[in-house]
Amino acid sequence: MGLIKLDYGVLAILSQSDMSGYDITNRLSNFWKTTHSRVYPVLSKLEKLGYVEHELVEQVNKPDKKIYHITEPGIGALRNWLIKDTQPSIKKDESLLKLISVHVLESDVIIDLLKERMKLVKKEEEFVKKVVENTKAFSNGVVTDTRSNLFNIHLLTQNILSHAQLELQWCEWAVELYRQKTADNFFDIKFNPCKNKEHKN
Amino acid sequence: MGLIKLDYGVLAILSQSDMSGYDITNRLSNFWKTTHSRVYPVLSKLEKLGYVEHELVEQVNKPDKKIYHITEPGIGALRNWLIKDTQPSIKKDESLLKLISVHVLESDVIIDLLKERMKLVKKEEEFVKKVVENTKAFSNGVVTDTRSNLFNIHLLTQNILSHAQLELQWCEWAVELYRQKTADNFFDIKFNPCKNKEHKN
DNA sequence: CAAGTCATGTAAGAAGTTACATGATTCT
DNA sequence: AGAATCATGTAACTTCTTACATGACTTG
């Protein structure tokens, strides 16, 4: 029974600090789509393997919780995973899937669709910005310090943020092209976001 | 029994041109992770629903094939899907998941990891460039014509390409930061790929 | 007074992966 | 000679989603 990416994701979060399954789910789901109903069984599995352990913490006015911590064998498993081959990333983006067949719609409906996508991406952008703030609050604002063990989280959020911003620029570019669609024709129009407003023809 | 994204993906490909299940898999998997063992049952399902039909084409020196085409009800289902609410995109990127816990490694090993990622992204970039070429070949080079029904595929590939290029820039930025890690400290260093080499401190 | 937060889990069903199965031809 | 291409499918297994289940407290 080998470990899957989700298992390593849980170990990765626990390598940052000790946490309850509830908190692990909240943190991890900022970077990896998952739910508590998946994380709890994963924790049981990892505990059986000796990679994590927990202490029961009794609380007043709140349900009791289990605070998990990673063990030495857990850190070992994490290290082995980190240095071994990485699988290519998987992106399942319904907006882009839809794009394949938008030719069955009128141009103005396509533009509406792209604007809907922009709203979605803006929400994602806002979400990441909140993650940035939460991470800063959690570590008293020293995230961007290269010595902080949350420095990598800073790199991660910057990555996600910049992709969101690129996506918005792409949407604007696409909207503009569909606007001009009825009027004229363009050849070899490349999306070149980093050479601002200088599109090669 | 409602349709899932993969079902619509198959319909979307068939809205471009009639194709065998084998070809559908090859095309669709450029934009949506799937395999032929998933696509064949999907086609059976879609045929039962009346959204696609097929003709058997006998071949010499090759196995016989079923050429599928989308029906009017199929186009209708596609249209309804296009205009209805879109789910947020899901990205499962093992490299970024690894990043959460890289603090358990030494800086030089982290840099190796980021360089490995760059290789992976470069491969993805090459792959998209091939898709661009194949699409051009398929349509006699008129992809970038706004009137072409492959124009959207052009937009799609430009999207993927630009994300790959952004990813490479991010990797370079991250490598540079880890290189300076042992030497010094930096505060509020933001990844700003579109204002080239002007990182705020 | 309804919804959300904190906190743990189970279970059924849907979706995805990987291997199996076949077989002639073509490329390296 | 072995791998890849074309072409279809099935089956076993793994993973993921969604709903169920509980319950006190807090916020709007």
Side-chain angles (χ1 to χ4, degrees):
Chain A
M1 177 182 49
L3 297 198
I4 61 168
K5 286 167 200 163
L6 178 61
D7 300 325
Y8 290 113
V10 169
L11 287 178
I13 295 292
L14 283 175
S15 78
Q16 300 241 334
S17 65
D18 301 349
M19 243 178 273
S20 66
Y22 184 85
D23 285 334
I24 293 167
T25 309
N26 289 154
R27 291 286 198 91
L28 184 57
S29 61
N30 290 330
F31 310 111
W32 192 265
K33 210 214 166 203
T34 194
T35 54
H36 67 266
S37 60
R38 281 291 293 146
V39 170
Y40 289 125
V42 163
L43 283 166
S44 306
K45 177 182 168 184
L46 293 175
E47 195 155 42
K48 266 180 205 154
L49 292 165
Y51 292 158
V52 301
E53 289 167 350
H54 80 269
E55 291 112 47
L56 196 75
V57 175
E58 285 172 49
Q59 296 188 120
V60 281
N61 296 344
K62 279 180 188 175
D64 297 347
K65 60 180 173 182
K66 296 177 177 176
I67 299 295
Y68 285 87
H69 60 91
I70 193 165
T71 62
E72 266 312 311
I75 294 281
L78 197 57
R79 271 217 189 82
N80 287 336
W81 168 62
L82 286 173
I83 58 173
K84 90 172 182 207
D85 265 11
T86 306
Q87 294 302 115
S89 75
I90 296 160
K91 194 178 164 192
K92 294 211 166 181
D93 191 325
E94 198 179 13
S95 294
L96 294 185
L97 191 66
K98 283 185 172 182
L99 195 66
I100 296 174
S101 57
V102 284
H103 55 266
V104 305
L105 299 174
E106 310 302 309
S107 277
D108 52 332
V109 188
I110 299 175
I111 290 170
D112 290 345
L113 226 74
L114 288 166
K115 284 186 176 170
E116 274 303 309
R117 175 171 182 75
M118 286 177 84
K119 278 186 200 167
L120 242 156
V121 178
K122 271 176 191 161
K123 270 186 197 166
E124 280 166 22
E125 201 190 355
E126 289 310 308
F127 178 76
V128 188
K129 280 181 179 170
K130 268 187 191 166
V131 175
V132 172
E133 277 168 44
N134 293 344
T135 313
K136 267 190 183 166
F138 185 78
S139 63
N140 309 315
V142 290
V143 227
T144 51
D145 187 325
T146 46
R147 285 168 308 199
S148 162
N149 81 332
L150 285 173
F151 177 66
N152 36 5
I153 299 295
H154 170 63
L155 297 187
L156 238 176
T157 51
Q158 290 296 309
N159 181 298
I160 303 169
L161 250 184
S162 57
H163 277 288
Q165 283 156 3
L166 175 69
E167 197 56 45
L168 285 176
Q169 287 175 55
W170 177 87
C171 285
E172 276 163 20
W173 174 73
V175 164
E176 198 46 46
L177 288 180
Y178 274 109
R179 277 213 180 106
Q180 296 173 332
K181 187 181 157 94
T182 40
D184 221 318
N185 255 332
F186 299 86
F187 289 90
D188 280 329
I189 319 153
K190 291 219 171 78
F191 177 51
N192 237 335
C194 289
K195 293 169 185 167
N196 31 307
K197 276 143 203 172
E198 282 174 50
H199 295 307
K200 210 180 156 194
N201 79 305
Chain B
M1 180 183 49
L3 296 198
I4 61 169
K5 288 166 200 164
L6 178 61
D7 300 325
Y8 291 114
V10 169
L11 286 178
I13 294 292
L14 284 175
S15 79
Q16 300 241 333
S17 65
D18 302 349
M19 244 177 272
S20 66
Y22 184 85
D23 285 333
I24 292 167
T25 309
N26 289 154
R27 290 288 196 92
L28 183 57
S29 60
N30 290 331
F31 310 111
W32 192 266
K33 209 214 164 203
T34 194
T35 55
H36 67 267
S37 60
R38 283 287 295 143
V39 170
Y40 290 124
V42 163
L43 283 166
S44 307
K45 179 183 167 184
L46 293 175
E47 194 155 42
K48 266 181 207 154
L49 292 165
Y51 292 156
V52 301
E53 288 167 351
H54 80 267
E55 292 111 47
L56 196 74
V57 176
E58 284 171 50
Q59 295 189 119
V60 281
N61 297 344
K62 280 180 187 176
D64 297 347
K65 60 181 173 180
K66 296 177 176 175
I67 298 296
Y68 285 87
H69 60 92
I70 193 165
T71 62
E72 266 311 311
I75 294 280
L78 197 57
R79 271 216 188 83
N80 287 335
W81 167 63
L82 286 172
I83 58 172
K84 90 172 180 206
D85 264 12
T86 306
Q87 292 302 115
S89 74
I90 296 160
K91 195 179 165 192
K92 296 212 164 180
D93 191 325
E94 199 179 13
S95 294
L96 295 184
L97 190 66
K98 283 185 172 182
L99 195 67
I100 296 174
S101 57
V102 284
H103 55 265
V104 306
L105 300 174
E106 312 300 310
S107 278
D108 53 330
V109 187
I110 299 174
I111 290 170
D112 290 346
L113 225 74
L114 287 166
K115 284 186 176 170
E116 274 305 309
R117 176 171 182 74
M118 285 176 84
K119 277 186 200 166
L120 241 156
V121 178
K122 270 176 192 162
K123 269 185 197 167
E124 281 167 21
E125 201 189 354
E126 288 311 307
F127 178 76
V128 187
K129 280 181 180 169
K130 268 186 191 166
V131 175
V132 173
E133 277 168 45
N134 293 345
T135 313
K136 266 190 184 166
F138 185 79
S139 63
N140 309 314
V142 289
V143 227
T144 51
D145 188 325
T146 46
R147 285 168 308 200
S148 162
N149 81 333
L150 285 172
F151 177 65
N152 35 5
I153 299 295
H154 170 63
L155 296 187
L156 237 176
T157 50
Q158 290 297 308
N159 181 299
I160 302 169
L161 249 184
S162 57
H163 278 286
Q165 283 156 3
L166 175 68
E167 197 56 44
L168 285 176
Q169 288 174 54
W170 177 86
C171 286
E172 275 162 21
W173 175 73
V175 164
E176 198 46 47
L177 289 179
Y178 275 109
R179 277 212 179 108
Q180 297 174 328
K181 186 181 158 94
T182 41
D184 222 317
N185 255 332
F186 298 87
F187 289 90
D188 279 328
I189 321 152
K190 290 221 172 76
F191 177 51
N192 235 334
C194 289
K195 293 168 184 167
N196 31 309
K197 276 143 202 173
E198 282 175 50
H199 294 309
K200 210 181 155 193
N201 79 306

